[in-house]
Amino acid sequence: VSTQSNGSLTRLPSFMRVLVFPSLLPLGRLDKVLAAACNITRNTARKLIDDGLVKRNGLPSRVQSRTAQFADVLEVDSEEVRNILAIPVPEAEIAHEDQDVLVANKPSGVLSTPQLAHQDSDMGFDQQVTLFLANRDGAKSHLRIFHRLDRLASGLVLFARSERVQPILAQMWQDNQVHREYLAVVEGELSFTNRTINAPIRKQYGDKFKFGVYEDGLPSQTTVEVLSSSKEQSVVRCVLHTGRTHQIRVHLSAIGHPIVGDNLYGARHVPASRLLLHSTYLSFKHPIRGNKLSLLKLPPNEFDPFTNLCAPLEKVFSQRPTLPSPNVLVTPFNRAKFDAMRTKTSPAANSLPSHIISSDAASPSTSSLSSSSSQSPFSVNSAPVSAANATKSDESSSTKQSEPLQSIFKSDKAMTPKQVPHTVHKKPMRV
């Protein structure tokens, strides 16, 4: 018998192989899944299992009631099985792979994980990579995603391939030892060359998917370096110091230059087929071997009409950017200045409050917010600023207003934190 391939179906001289995929095969008992996949009766499936003719992930399985899980590889060595359900296996572009870590290139339009799927049929990128590896290796492998990209974004994503590296990678991620750089195309011409945007972010009240800049949000910092700029659009490199949801999209929109194709955060003027945000560069020390891994993935063809004026991206991303110092005091926003900024058609970045955009002063090192557990993100020149002093300074300033800040993306009728209904859940009394 010649070797044939059709989706996940592989016909070998002695056995048939199928992947367990929930949308086509209901998860459950091994005999039920095998009967549905091979188009045979359950009695026949039970007999094949009892005779030891069925392997699950490369190992013989004689337990009929064992649960078949997602991406399990079932192999049947029997002449009785001739027709088997063909399941399309997604392709995955692997940038780096070893026994401990894996880095893959996520395409635009794919969820990073399926938890926030709008439909049950939406498959996460981690599931696609799991199916790809299972079909290639003949057995399901351990895989855990360590950071997420927006559905409309693309680029490099880091995975753990073994349980021993999971706590190590988690600590590295918490200590900000994974360096990430993104390429983005924004609307309008930027008036600076290098800035660090400091603006706290949290989810907007009354909106399920949208985030905004709020004074009571989580500390967030993004360094923006301009690679090319014109009247219509600019190409920038973004370096993350924190990892908030939609951080780059929210920060760039906050300075009046939303990412091209980002209709959620105000992009309107430059047409594009997708969100022009790409995870281009990823660098970290191998959690086991200790050697440095530096991975580069250039953006897809959708970026070509906008990056033709830039220097070659391979050369640009081969050098690390000079980052402004991240130790910039973050103070409550000035509502009056933000209202004035919203009335402008194209606000200049330099007109923003000083706590949102730092100075051009470059720092010789690329230190991060989380490089030391004792370093506070709310500090200037490594001197901690207490909340009491910040409050006292705000009260003494005549330009500060005491009313809660509403996001710059919401109207004046937006709900403030005080207006949101709050329910106090009391613990039951112990008798």
Side-chain angles (χ1 to χ4, degrees), residues 386-401:
S386 63
N389 292 337
T391 305
K392 183 178 180 180
S393 174
D394 296 339
E395 293 175 353
S396 62
S397 175
S398 60
T399 60
K400 303 295 182 182
Q401 298 187 10

Side-chain angles (χ1 to χ4, degrees), residues 177-180 281-285 292-295:
Q177 297 179 6
V178 180
H179 184 74
R180 295 162 289 166
Y281 181 81
L282 195 64
S283 176
F284 59 95
K285 285 187 177 181
K292 185 178 180 180
L293 295 176
S294 299
L295 304 171

Side-chain angles (χ1 to χ4, degrees), residues 270-305:
V270 181
S273 58
R274 50 157 290 189
L275 176 72
L276 296 184
L277 178 63
H278 182 75
S279 175
T280 308
Y281 181 81
L282 195 64
S283 176
F284 59 95
K285 285 187 177 181
H286 195 281
I288 302 299
R289 304 171 187 173
N291 60 304
K292 185 178 180 180
L293 295 176
S294 299
L295 304 171
L296 174 66
K297 179 59 184 177
L298 296 180
N301 298 333
E302 293 89 346
F303 286 75
D304 292 344

Side-chain angles (χ1 to χ4, degrees), residues 376-392:
S376 172
F378 303 96
S379 60
V380 179
N381 297 329
S382 301
V385 179
S386 63
N389 292 337
T391 305
K392 183 178 180 180

Side-chain angles (χ1 to χ4, degrees), residues 24-44:
L24 298 178
L25 291 175
L27 301 181
R29 288 170 54 102
L30 180 59
D31 55 349
K32 293 179 63 176
V33 174
L34 186 63
C38 301
N39 195 21
I40 58 178
T41 63
R42 287 187 64 182
N43 289 335
T44 304

